[in-house]
Amino acid sequence: MNFFITAFIFVLGYLFIQSFAAKLSEENLNTLKKLFLVHILFGAYFCFFVQGDAVGYWKEAKLMSEEDFIYSLTQGQGTYFVLALNYYPSNILDLSYFTGTMMYSLIGFIGLTYFYVMAVELIPNDPKFSGYYLFPMLFFLPNLHFWSCAVGKDALLFFCIAIFTYGLMQPFKRMPMIVFGLLLAYFIRPHITLFMLLGFGMAYFSGQNISVFRRILFFGLMVGIAIAILPMVMKFARIEEASLDSFDKFSETKAALLSKASAGSAVDISSYPFPVKVFTFLYRPLFFDINGIPSVLASLENLLLLVLSYTVLKNKPLETFKKAPFVIQGMVYFLIIGTLAFSQSLGNVGIMIRMRNMFLPGLIIFIFWHFSYRQSQESDA
């Protein structure tokens, strides 16, 4: 069973890539195939070499009774809900943790593909920096794959954000994607749903190329939903960690993740000033945090992002932002809201790395847009 399911996952990944044959060039399709291979390899690495809370999500689901499953599915959010999702493949089908990791890797890759397609459709020119093409290079950044291939909330949320954002490019045609992305995110981490609604609601309100009717309709709808779910978000924020108490083994593995898996960066930053916390959330670990090969790779990636971000900030970023399509503006608002919230509420670099991955595609796509827009302005001058 495990062999056939794993083989089927590879086939599904290939077929999903081919479903964009009418939208993408052969070169882009081949790049997506390479990204799929990279993503699967990261999934295999995570499965065999990172003993974190992903193991707990799968093994605890194996131990659940039918009553536990029903309660988790109907009453729980966050950890309980993810365990309920894993109940059928892990408990009923008795699939291995490796097969489960491949399933989640496919889910994360589907999200990555939607971000890739958005970049192709929204970025008019190939963005370059110092003579190097940024697209599709930045889609191969290690952390973009590492935290979106493992069993658990991170890959699912990455997927939710991707389909929600992709759906907003044609909201009336892709409304099922928008609704499904919001609902699934709500049951996993409702505060992320709130951030999405606020971020893209602000983008609709300020969008220059959107009709007044659509501005009012979608802004009002998103803000209305955000206000409606706010009480549940506040309640969830207080009980999420407490809900882990009934899963002792899971709690232990989660603690192990923070100390072992987060690129060796489980550093207490609660006493840092506000600007340093924001910088830490976006660009650490850096070379002064290195204590192993994973942190070397993360430092190289973060240094590249830091250099690119600095280049963006010193070259009329507000003008570039105002000229961006509203979907890119929404991703930037989402990035800003998430950064402000998590950089102040999380006191650990290791956890920040995981949380940042949900917002990383927005940063990357805005970098693409900035360099592409600036190149077109320079060529027209």
Side-chain angles (χ1 to χ4, degrees):
M1 175 69 78
N2 283 293
F3 174 80
F4 290 110
I5 294 294
T6 303
F8 185 59
I9 289 169
F10 280 91
V11 173
L12 280 179
Y14 176 79
L15 292 176
F16 182 71
I17 293 171
Q18 290 301 124
S19 70
F20 291 97
K23 285 178 172 286
L24 303 178
S25 66
E26 191 66 30
E27 181 180 1
N28 281 318
L29 293 175
N30 289 332
T31 300
L32 280 173
K33 292 172 186 177
K34 294 174 184 176
L35 283 169
F36 184 46
L37 176 61
V38 169
H39 204 76
I40 290 297
L41 290 175
F42 269 98
Y45 174 83
F46 202 106
C47 176
F48 293 114
F49 297 103
V50 180
Q51 296 300 307
D53 59 355
V55 179
Y57 278 119
W58 197 255
K59 291 189 175 180
E60 288 301 320
K62 277 187 181 293
L63 302 175
M64 291 174 69
S65 65
E66 185 176 349
E67 291 75 16
D68 293 332
F69 164 70
I70 294 173
Y71 174 82
S72 298
L73 186 63
T74 58
Q75 301 295 325
Q77 285 180 296
T79 298
Y80 281 128
F81 182 74
V82 176
L83 288 171
L85 291 180
N86 292 341
Y87 175 76
Y88 187 79
S90 177
N91 190 310
I92 304 302
L93 297 181
D94 195 30
L95 297 179
S96 69
Y97 173 57
F98 174 78
T99 304
T101 303
M102 293 298 101
M103 291 171 57
Y104 273 79
S105 294
L106 176 62
I107 292 170
F109 174 73
I110 290 173
L112 186 70
T113 300
Y114 280 122
F115 283 124
Y116 186 97
V117 175
M118 280 188 274
V120 171
E121 295 184 358
L122 295 173
I123 311 302
N125 305 304
D126 289 337
K128 294 176 69 174
F129 175 71
S130 296
Y132 294 95
Y133 287 106
L134 297 175
F135 178 85
M137 179 185 69
L138 295 186
F139 275 103
F140 287 91
L141 291 178
N143 272 315
L144 198 61
H145 298 270
F146 186 77
W147 295 113
S148 59
C149 67
V151 176
K153 301 174 188 175
D154 300 309
L156 292 173
L157 282 169
F158 192 82
F159 166 80
C160 291
I161 295 163
I163 64 170
F164 172 76
T165 309
Y166 183 76
L168 286 177
M169 293 178 65
Q170 297 184 36
F172 294 107
K173 180 180 179 181
R174 299 170 182 166
M175 187 57 68
M177 296 180 71
I178 296 172
V179 174
F180 182 70
L182 284 175
L183 284 176
L184 185 57
Y186 175 75
F187 285 110
I188 298 169
R189 283 197 184 113
H191 49 290
I192 298 301
T193 308
L194 181 65
F195 296 168
M196 291 160 63
L197 290 167
L198 292 176
F200 286 90
M202 292 168 64
Y204 262 113
F205 182 76
S206 61
Q208 297 180 349
N209 298 320
I210 304 174
S211 67
V212 175
F213 171 75
R214 288 181 62 180
R215 281 196 204 183
I216 296 173
L217 175 65
F218 283 98
F219 175 74
L221 185 63
M222 290 185 181
V223 173
I225 297 173
I227 293 172
I229 69 172
L230 183 59
M232 283 301 300
V233 172
M234 300 302 294
K235 179 181 177 182
F236 178 83
R238 290 192 295 269
I239 69 169
E240 181 181 20
E241 294 303 319
S243 70
L244 301 181
D245 292 341
S246 61
F247 296 98
D248 292 336
K249 293 180 182 179
F250 178 80
S251 299
E252 293 172 4
T253 53
K254 183 169 184 177
L257 174 70
L258 298 181
S259 62
K260 297 178 182 179
S262 300
S265 56
V267 179
D268 183 11
I269 64 168
S270 57
S271 61
Y272 287 8
F274 173 80
V276 178
K277 284 184 178 181
V278 171
F279 178 87
T280 298
F281 181 79
L282 292 173
Y283 303 113
R284 283 182 66 187
L286 284 172
F287 292 104
F288 47 81
D289 299 306
I290 288 177
N291 60 359
I293 294 178
S295 59
V296 172
L297 295 176
S299 297
L300 289 170
E301 172 182 330
N302 289 334
L303 179 61
L304 174 61
L305 290 174
L306 180 59
V307 171
L308 292 173
S309 299
Y310 174 74
T311 306
V312 169
L313 290 173
K314 73 176 186 178
N315 192 9
K316 302 178 181 178
L318 291 179
E319 178 187 329
T320 305
F321 173 77
K322 290 178 181 179
K323 296 296 184 179
F326 91 93
V327 170
I328 295 180
Q329 291 183 356
M331 285 191 277
V332 174
Y333 282 128
F334 179 58
L335 167 68
I336 293 171
I337 294 170
T339 299
L340 293 176
F342 285 129
S343 64
Q344 307 310 305
S345 61
L346 302 177
N348 183 288
V349 177
I351 307 174
M352 284 184 171
I353 296 172
R354 296 175 60 182
M355 294 298 105
R356 186 193 68 171
N357 199 59
M358 294 181 289
F359 311 100
L360 188 56
L363 176 61
I364 289 173
I365 291 177
F366 181 66
I367 288 173
F368 288 153
W369 168 260
H370 174 86
F371 283 97
S372 174
Y373 178 77
R374 284 297 153 204
Q375 287 165 205
S376 64
Q377 292 298 106
E378 291 170 3
S379 63
D380 293 339

